[in-house]
Amino acid sequence: MQQAETIVLLLGLVAALVVVAQKIEMPYPVLLVLAGLALSFIPHLPDVRLNPDVVFYFFLPPLIYPAALFTSWRDFRRNLRPILLLSIGLVLTTIVSVAWVAHSLIPTLPWAATFALGAIVSPPDAVAATSVLRRLDVPHRVQVILEGESLVNDATALVALQFAVMALMTGTFSLGQATGRFVIVALGGVALGLLIGLIARWLHRHLDNPPVQITISLLTPLTAYLLAERTHVSGILAVVTAGIYLGWHGPIIVSSRFRLPAFAVWEMVVFLLNGFVFITIGLQLPGILRELRGESVGALIDDGLLLSGAAVLVRVCWVFAATYLPRSLSKRVRKRDPYPGWRNVAVIAWAGMRGVISLAAAFALPFVLPNGNPFPGRSYILFFTFCVILVTLVFQGLTLPVLIRKLGLKDDRSTDTEERNARVEANKAALSLVESLASNGKFGADLISRLRAEYDDRLAQLELCAQSDEDCTGGIATAQYQRLQQKALDVERQTIIRLRNQHVINDNALRRIQRDLDLAEARLTGT
């Protein structure tokens, strides 16, 4: 009962803090972590422990899956080289660098333990990255690269962590074996993800039942991850692959009856899990400190700041080197992908927030070795992981919006232009169909006239948007037209509510009309 009350209170606090974060224009993951940290110092509060199995099996898949589902395969494929350089090259470089710094600071830590620490803190978190970035005005390609990196880098880090732990448990390590195993795990995860995607696609194609389809959608990432872990391949890559595959085929195989409620369900699931995850991070500090009894906390904080600085510095150096060095050495690379602006590169270099995956991986470390000895440096790894998460999430999360504003970066609106052009082409195609149907006499002239007028109006609005200085964000109406139509919709709502209150219509009639008005408003605002 106490656990249920704690969860309810935390979720209520999450909702309140997200509203506060919006008011003060702060990334809500930062405020939630700080709030959890503040709560951890209040005496006699229930102990909230982060269960690694719950995070890996029930939190991680549904948080990664929607990001993959809404990833543009075209953009992901076009930016595959920088995404792989970050998600594989940078992760491995960070592992080695953090391991070297940790061993220099605490020589008693075995190399395998420091490599485990490096693997744990090396991947920026998918949840943290998307949560902070989506409220910022950044060029489209920057967002594609950062979100693509965050989808893949966990797989690299967790496989490296497995080998570091195995080296500690067995006392042996083979680079060739590790490389081969990494390839098998990665390819196996991708193959399993495709299989799950094919099965889910077949189910959706043969169903027209939104509640059942939403249930299948919620189970898809959990199934992909669980089966991948059972077969010892990458669960993360399985979830990502299934998500990208279904995101590509979804517009063809599912109906609007499923899409509209499914989007709302996933939005709620991601919000609740995000909020609970971030506030729980801060609440872990008392348990971590209990494992460090007898240690100098001041000295450990200094070491934690040095390790955090190393993780940040390695990313900055790698991003600039990996961006400009290949282009300076290869004319072919330079021709295919010209030099990007240094401001865009700076944003990518600074967007290295760590999150719950790192902390869950640290808590998942075994307590003892096969010979019965304690796992070396486990308490150090937990504390340093918490420090890196706190520094990167809070410091970089708070300064990233400032950096973007100071650099003068703006969204290039390339997606808006593509959206507007696609709307024009689709409306013209529909109008051509209307004109062809007008000549066969199957539909009345009044119906044809009404539909023709509607499409003519849409095309006129799109043309006004293209010519207007106002930001139409690719939509079908100018801002002035939206305001006018919104006022008209508000009057309609007030009228039907007045009629219901006067008992002229019943609630069923009210809800039917209200649904039409809601759909009209959703089409108007694009939400």
Side-chain angles (χ1 to χ4, degrees):
M1 185 65 183
Q2 190 180 47
Q3 289 180 342
E5 291 172 349
T6 302
I7 291 172
V8 170
L9 287 172
L10 287 178
L11 291 177
L13 187 60
V14 164
L17 288 172
V18 169
V19 173
V20 173
Q22 290 174 340
K23 295 289 186 183
I24 62 177
E25 296 185 346
M26 176 187 288
Y28 79 82
V30 175
L31 186 60
L32 291 176
V33 169
L34 292 176
L37 190 60
L39 284 174
S40 69
F41 289 103
I42 299 176
H44 308 302
L45 278 183
D47 191 15
V48 180
R49 290 184 176 271
L50 192 67
N51 188 318
D53 288 337
V54 172
V55 172
F56 284 129
Y57 288 99
F58 297 104
F59 279 35
L60 179 59
L63 286 173
I64 289 180
Y65 181 71
L69 197 64
F70 297 117
T71 292
S72 167
W73 170 240
R74 184 202 68 176
D75 294 339
F76 186 88
R77 187 179 55 191
R78 285 180 179 177
N79 293 280
L80 190 59
R81 188 182 65 84
I83 287 172
L84 292 181
L85 282 172
L86 290 170
S87 58
I88 298 178
L90 176 57
V91 166
L92 296 177
T93 303
T94 305
I95 291 172
V96 174
S97 303
V98 169
W100 180 81
V101 173
H103 192 73
S104 301
L105 293 172
I106 307 177
T108 55
L109 277 180
W111 275 107
T114 62
F115 274 102
L117 172 62
I120 288 169
V121 302
S122 60
D125 189 64
V127 180
T130 53
S131 299
V132 173
L133 276 175
R134 281 180 180 169
R135 60 181 297 276
L136 302 176
D137 196 23
V138 296
H140 178 66
R141 191 184 185 198
V142 171
Q143 190 157 343
V144 168
I145 291 173
L146 288 172
E147 291 184 355
E149 172 203 6
S150 67
L151 289 175
V152 182
N153 58 12
D154 288 331
T156 306
L158 292 179
V159 171
L161 176 61
Q162 289 175 359
F163 281 103
V165 172
M166 191 183 304
L168 273 170
M169 303 290 275
T170 63
T172 60
F173 175 76
S174 167
L175 181 60
Q177 183 184 8
T179 304
R181 176 63 181 161
F182 176 78
V183 173
I184 293 171
V185 165
L187 293 179
V190 171
L192 183 61
L194 282 174
L195 176 62
I196 296 296
L198 284 166
I199 294 172
R201 178 190 175 191
W202 184 87
L203 290 171
H204 284 298
R205 184 185 287 277
H206 290 84
L207 288 172
D208 187 20
N209 188 322
V212 174
Q213 289 178 275
I214 291 172
T215 303
I216 292 171
S217 180
L218 291 171
L219 289 175
T220 298
L222 299 175
T223 304
Y225 194 89
L226 289 169
L227 286 178
E229 292 301 310
R230 287 287 187 182
T231 53
H232 306 292
V233 296
S234 174
I236 293 171
L237 287 181
V239 173
V240 169
T241 304
I244 292 177
Y245 178 85
L246 289 170
W248 177 263
H249 291 279
I252 306 168
I253 61 174
V254 297
S255 66
S256 60
R257 292 181 66 239
F258 163 73
R259 271 195 302 269
L260 292 173
F263 183 83
V265 168
W266 271 113
E267 192 173 27
M268 182 186 70
V269 168
V270 169
F271 170 75
L272 291 176
L273 292 181
N274 265 345
F276 192 77
V277 157
F278 282 114
I279 202 167
T280 305
I281 288 175
L283 291 168
Q284 303 309 301
L285 183 60
I288 292 172
L289 291 177
R290 278 196 297 270
E291 295 199 21
L292 288 166
R293 288 194 182 99
E295 299 286 346
S296 170
V297 176
L300 286 173
I301 290 175
D302 290 340
D303 291 343
L305 291 175
L306 287 172
L307 279 167
S308 303
V312 172
L313 185 61
V314 167
R315 181 178 179 88
V316 172
C317 294
W318 174 273
V319 168
F320 277 94
T323 300
Y324 293 110
L325 192 59
R327 290 175 174 85
S328 64
L329 296 176
S330 172
K331 184 178 180 180
R332 187 167 61 89
V333 172
R334 196 162 55 243
K335 183 178 179 181
R336 187 174 67 247
D337 190 5
Y339 285 104
W342 69 268
R343 293 176 180 82
N344 292 359
V345 180
V347 170
I348 293 174
W350 198 244
M353 292 77 69
R354 273 66 172 179
V356 70
I357 305 306
S358 294
L359 198 58
F363 275 108
L365 291 174
F367 285 92
V368 295
L369 299 176
N371 58 13
N373 292 330
F375 189 93
R378 188 178 187 275
S379 56
Y380 287 111
I381 292 172
L382 282 171
F383 182 79
F384 291 147
T385 300
F386 186 86
C387 288
V388 173
I389 292 170
L390 195 62
V391 169
T392 57
L393 188 58
V394 175
F395 179 59
Q396 290 186 296
L398 287 177
T399 56
L400 187 59
V402 178
L403 177 67
I404 290 171
R405 285 195 296 270
K406 292 292 184 183
L407 293 176
L409 283 180
K410 295 290 182 183
D411 191 346
D412 52 19
R413 303 297 179 195
S414 58
T415 301
D416 294 341
T417 303
E418 291 178 4
E419 177 189 348
R420 189 178 299 113
N421 293 338
R423 285 181 184 270
V424 169
E425 190 170 338
N427 280 272
K428 284 182 177 178
L431 195 55
S432 297
L433 175 67
V434 171
E435 298 297 343
S436 66
L437 293 175
S439 60
N440 64 17
K442 290 185 178 179
F443 297 91
D446 58 332
L447 296 179
I448 293 293
S449 178
R450 285 171 56 192
L451 197 54
R452 182 190 293 122
E454 182 177 342
Y455 278 108
D456 282 336
D457 178 63
R458 290 186 189 179
L459 287 169
Q461 285 295 325
L462 287 166
E463 186 177 348
L464 281 174
C465 273
Q467 297 171 356
S468 174
D469 293 332
E470 293 184 272
D471 178 20
C472 295
T473 62
I476 203 167
T478 63
Q480 187 176 14
Y481 183 89
Q482 285 183 337
R483 287 193 295 270
L484 178 62
Q485 192 166 357
Q486 185 65 61
K487 288 180 182 295
L489 290 171
D490 290 341
V491 168
E492 286 192 69
R493 281 199 179 89
Q494 292 166 12
T495 301
I496 62 171
I497 291 171
R498 176 174 57 79
L499 292 172
R500 191 277 309 267
N501 292 344
Q502 294 174 350
H503 306 295
V504 176
I505 62 173
N506 63 26
D507 287 274
N508 287 336
L510 169 74
R511 281 189 285 269
R512 289 179 188 176
I513 302 170
Q514 203 167 44
R515 174 176 168 79
D516 288 342
L517 296 176
D518 290 344
L519 290 172
E521 184 175 6
R523 189 176 71 177
L524 178 69
T525 60
T527 57

